[in-house]
Amino acid sequence: MILQRLCEYYDRIADDPHVEIAQQGFAPQKVSFEVVIDHDGTLLAINDIRDTDGKKPSPRMMRLPFQGRTSGIKAMFLWDKAEYLLGYVPREIRETPPNESGSDCVKREKKIIRVMDCFQACKSIHLEFASLINEPTYQSLCKFFANWTPESLSTEKIQLLDEVGTGFGVFRINQQQRYLHDLMTIKNFWSSLAATSSEDSVTGTCLVTGTEISLARLHPVIKGVRDAQSSGASIVSFNNPAFASLGKSQSYNSPVSQSVAFKYTTALNHLLDRNNHRKLQIGDATCIYWADQNDGSIEDIFGFGLDPASVEDEQRAAEIGRTLRQAVDGHAVLPDPGVGFHVLGLSPNASRLSVRLWISGTAIEMIGRVAEHQARMEIVKGSQDSDWIPLWMILLQTARESQEVPPLLGGALLRSVLTGGPYPQSLLAAIIRRVRAEKDIRHVKAATIKAILNHNHAKEISPMLDIQRPECAYQLGRLFASLERAQEDALPGLNATVKDRYFGAASSTPASVFPRLIRMNQHHIGKLEGGKKVVAEKRIQEILGRINAFPPHLGLVDQGLFAIGYYHQRQDFFTKKDKSDES
């Protein structure tokens, strides 16, 4: 299912002229220089084409004809290192140290011979295709290889290549704007060659297309998953005899054609690209998402609902925020609500990738569930608090630092949001633990606790203060906030309040601390004067009238209610009252 949807995505965007994606047999590579050749095959120039906008020159990314290469000699088509393209001998091999021994001289000679072999391999592969490519500019390149000798490199060109270093180079014919590898005739030739070539000529039934076709022995690597190998990792890979079955080795265990292997990996790399804005980091899971249409509006709404920072343009973000607000209220109008929508979460696993989650549905289902999640997160907040809370911020509430967030929690949280299922119970436990450790509760923690209690335990907690709630734990949270406020009013400028000393015990074992806190409060109220004293006494008496007894212990859910009661009451202290409230 996953590979089918990725192949469909590739086929759709490959036909979109506004999307730049590699054809089969092509891959992004870093290019540092160009080799300019005249129409008669003579070398005209070698130019440094690195970007110079930064502090130091950086190579340019180009999509080039690609085939795998190990440590052996294997030339690339229309691009490679200068050793392959021109027979250039690097400076460290070319220059002989004054005290070089005889064995070092032999090693240096072997390296020079290897450079010549690299050039011959490059020459052979390009001349081999001369009769198959009907393109005049390619014939000019063949003339170059037929006549070029590495000894023809001038001192000036050698110095330029020394500066470029180990970067890759490409070919361009004089007076042509496009590089040879960008010409459509050559691109079609190479894509056709890559689709039909097979190292082992193993054929079988492709699990994706269902056709009898040449199968891929190795699948291209995938880049862009956080904490995975920087050189790339595989989502389909078999490299141990224990993984073999029925005599099938390597990726023949999961047989797909070379074309399918290219399409799904290219689509994944496109979605994982940092400039594509279709990627979210949720815990250790790198999540990508896409809709079965090309305008991108549905992806923007979905991404904004999980992380508002995914939309950088402020005007666009405001527009999406209004649409998501309509979805929260059940009145959203989407351009195509029934279009398919897919979310894939990948986590690193040594040289491979693990599928953390795969959820597929319609756009209205996915955006509706995100909107429902945001609606559950609504709670009274301060002026500096955000209207929308991203998932990564919820996860940060469970640990002191981001590195301490439980690795499996991010995927479990995203799955609960996108399926409408209950939130992970471990999420509530982790946040309550942080609230007790920090002896405070802020907007994001309060919103998350409220969402969990409402969704998992049907508590129906309102966003604002509800003085009529019957639960003792909620009223205890209100009482603790009121006792703290009375102390703050009685002793202005106090560095530490009852919260700093008693919050943990009050929220878990109320009977052990509240009698003492109430006795202390009599001294605090005694120091108040006028209206403050009357208001404090009435508020505390009103709350105590709703508490029959102080329980010896509060469970996890009741600790959450205590935290919400405390938060609601504290926010109410700083909420501007109208005249009817004051009277």
Side-chain angles (χ1 to χ4, degrees):
M1 181 64 73
I2 298 176
L3 302 190
Q4 285 95 326
R5 298 290 86 79
L6 287 169
C7 287
E8 292 170 1
Y9 177 75
Y10 174 86
D11 289 335
R12 190 175 71 253
I13 62 175
D15 296 333
D16 188 344
H18 301 98
V19 179
E20 183 181 352
I21 191 168
Q23 291 181 267
Q24 185 166 1
F26 289 75
Q29 300 292 336
K30 296 179 180 180
V31 177
S32 299
F33 66 95
E34 65 172 6
V35 179
V36 183
I37 297 171
D38 205 351
H39 293 277
D40 61 0
T42 57
L43 176 64
L44 291 183
I46 300 175
N47 300 323
D48 187 346
I49 59 173
R50 293 176 295 177
D51 292 329
T52 56
D53 296 337
K55 295 182 179 179
K56 61 180 182 179
S58 59
R60 295 166 55 184
M61 293 299 298
M62 296 185 183
R63 299 189 181 276
L64 304 174
F66 184 77
Q67 52 186 338
R69 176 164 66 191
T70 59
S71 58
I73 295 176
K74 186 175 183 179
M76 297 292 115
F77 182 59
L78 295 178
W79 67 278
D80 217 315
K81 296 180 180 180
E83 294 94 310
Y84 281 89
L85 302 184
L86 302 165
Y88 157 78
V89 179
R91 177 188 296 169
E92 61 270 16
I93 300 176
R94 198 171 63 242
E95 297 178 351
T96 306
N99 57 348
E100 187 175 46
S101 64
S103 60
D104 291 334
C105 287
V106 173
K107 291 180 182 178
R108 187 169 64 86
E109 290 299 324
K110 287 182 178 180
K111 291 179 181 178
I112 293 176
I113 293 173
R114 191 182 190 281
V115 170
M116 297 303 108
D117 291 341
C118 292
F119 172 71
Q120 290 300 323
C122 188
K123 177 179 178 179
S124 298
I125 190 175
H126 288 88
L127 294 180
E128 177 185 348
F129 297 141
S131 60
L132 302 176
I133 301 177
N134 185 21
E135 172 62 50
T137 52
Y138 186 78
Q139 300 307 316
S140 299
L141 177 66
C142 292
K143 292 178 183 178
F144 162 77
F145 274 114
N147 300 318
W148 175 257
T149 59
E151 294 79 12
S152 304
L153 269 177
S154 65
T155 303
E156 179 185 359
K157 293 182 174 61
I158 290 175
Q159 290 176 348
L160 185 142
L161 292 173
D162 288 341
E163 294 177 6
V164 171
T166 58
F168 295 123
V170 293
F171 289 108
R172 182 171 64 85
I173 303 302
N174 188 34
Q175 298 179 347
Q176 296 286 328
Q177 297 297 321
R178 304 176 71 181
Y179 294 105
L180 275 174
H181 63 265
D182 281 333
L183 298 179
M184 190 55 62
T185 304
I186 294 177
K187 291 174 71 173
N188 291 337
F189 162 78
W190 186 258
S191 293
S192 176
L193 183 69
T196 57
S197 65
S198 175
E199 297 179 10
D200 297 2
S201 299
V202 173
T203 59
T205 302
C206 175
L207 294 178
V208 174
T209 62
T211 58
E212 192 76 11
I213 196 170
S214 176
L215 302 177
R217 182 176 67 88
L218 297 175
H219 295 200
V221 296
I222 298 160
K223 300 181 180 181
V225 176
R226 195 180 75 176
D227 296 332
Q229 289 188 352
S230 58
S231 58
S234 298
I235 198 172
V236 178
S237 173
F238 302 83
N239 67 342
N240 193 299
F243 305 147
S245 60
L246 300 177
K248 296 179 179 180
S249 61
Q250 296 186 324
S251 294
Y252 299 135
N253 280 273
S254 299
V256 298
S257 67
Q258 296 186 57
S259 176
V260 166
F262 166 78
K263 286 181 179 180
Y264 91 77
T265 53
T266 304
L268 267 178
N269 284 321
H270 176 74
L271 289 165
L272 287 166
D273 188 274
R274 67 177 62 185
N275 298 319
N276 196 26
H277 304 298
R278 294 292 177 266
K279 179 171 71 170
L280 293 173
Q281 192 66 42
I282 309 296
D284 74 329
T286 301
C287 300
I288 54 176
Y289 51 91
W290 69 95
D292 292 338
Q293 64 176 25
N294 288 348
D295 70 354
S297 58
I298 291 177
E299 288 102 328
D300 287 345
I301 299 171
F302 177 84
F304 182 91
L306 296 179
D307 183 6
S310 63
V311 180
E312 297 178 352
D313 182 76
E314 293 185 3
Q315 184 175 357
R316 175 66 176 152
E319 178 184 345
I320 292 174
R322 288 191 293 270
T323 303
L324 191 61
R325 177 60 62 187
Q326 293 170 353
V328 169
D329 298 334
H331 305 296
V333 178
L334 301 181
D336 191 354
V339 70
F341 197 92
H342 317 285
V343 182
L344 174 63
L346 299 173
S347 296
N349 181 14
S351 61
R352 294 178 179 79
L353 298 175
S354 299
V355 177
R356 181 53 56 81
L357 79 155
W358 166 251
I359 300 174
S360 186
T362 63
I364 191 63
E365 288 174 342
M366 294 297 186
I367 292 178
R369 288 166 187 164
V370 170
E372 290 170 0
H373 162 72
Q374 290 291 355
R376 290 192 291 267
M377 297 289 291
E378 286 189 354
I379 195 169
V380 61
K381 61 183 186 301
S383 59
Q384 301 299 318
D385 296 322
S386 173
D387 291 333
W388 310 103
I389 300 175
L391 287 191
W392 61 264
M393 189 175 290
I394 294 176
L395 293 174
L396 283 182
Q397 310 309 308
T398 64
R400 292 179 302 172
E401 299 178 351
S402 59
Q403 295 85 349
E404 298 177 358
V405 175
L408 300 180
L409 186 56
L413 174 60
L414 181 60
R415 183 183 299 278
S416 69
V417 171
L418 298 184
T419 61
Y423 291 104
Q425 193 65 16
S426 61
L427 178 63
L428 177 60
I431 292 182
I432 292 296
R433 186 165 55 249
R434 291 308 309 160
V435 169
R436 293 184 59 187
E438 296 170 3
K439 301 179 181 63
D440 197 8
I441 179 169
R442 301 290 178 87
H443 174 234
V444 180
K445 287 186 176 67
T448 307
I449 294 174
K450 169 185 171 287
I452 296 172
L453 295 181
N454 281 358
H455 192 51
N456 291 19
H457 304 281
K459 289 300 181 181
E460 299 182 2
I461 301 172
S462 66
M464 305 289 289
L465 175 66
D466 181 6
I467 64 174
Q468 303 293 333
R469 284 201 71 88
E471 294 95 342
C472 177
Y474 183 86
Q475 298 297 338
L476 287 173
R478 289 187 59 209
L479 176 60
F480 190 82
S482 300
L483 295 175
E484 180 189 17
R485 181 58 184 266
Q487 182 187 34
E488 290 172 340
D489 290 342
L491 304 170
L494 194 64
N495 292 329
T497 64
V498 291
K499 175 189 69 175
D500 300 293
R501 184 175 178 183
Y502 296 105
F503 188 94
S507 62
S508 57
T509 54
S512 66
V513 294
F514 267 102
R516 184 189 312 173
L517 293 176
I518 292 174
R519 289 195 298 271
M520 291 170 54
N521 182 68
Q522 298 305 314
H523 300 289
H524 299 149
I525 289 182
K527 295 179 183 248
L528 299 177
E529 296 179 354
K532 282 188 176 183
K533 182 175 182 180
V534 174
V535 169
E537 287 180 333
K538 284 186 175 181
R539 183 190 303 119
I540 292 173
Q541 290 301 322
E542 176 264 324
I543 297 173
L544 284 172
R546 302 178 187 277
I547 300 173
N548 295 325
F550 296 118
H553 175 74
L554 294 181
L556 188 63
V557 172
D558 284 336
Q559 289 183 46
L561 283 170
F562 180 97
I564 295 298
Y566 174 83
Y567 177 83
H568 273 168
Q569 189 64 63
R570 289 292 297 180
Q571 288 296 319
D572 186 70
F573 291 148
F574 303 104
T575 300
K576 186 177 181 180
K577 309 294 190 302
D578 58 31
K579 291 184 178 180
S580 60
D581 290 338
E582 292 175 355
S583 62

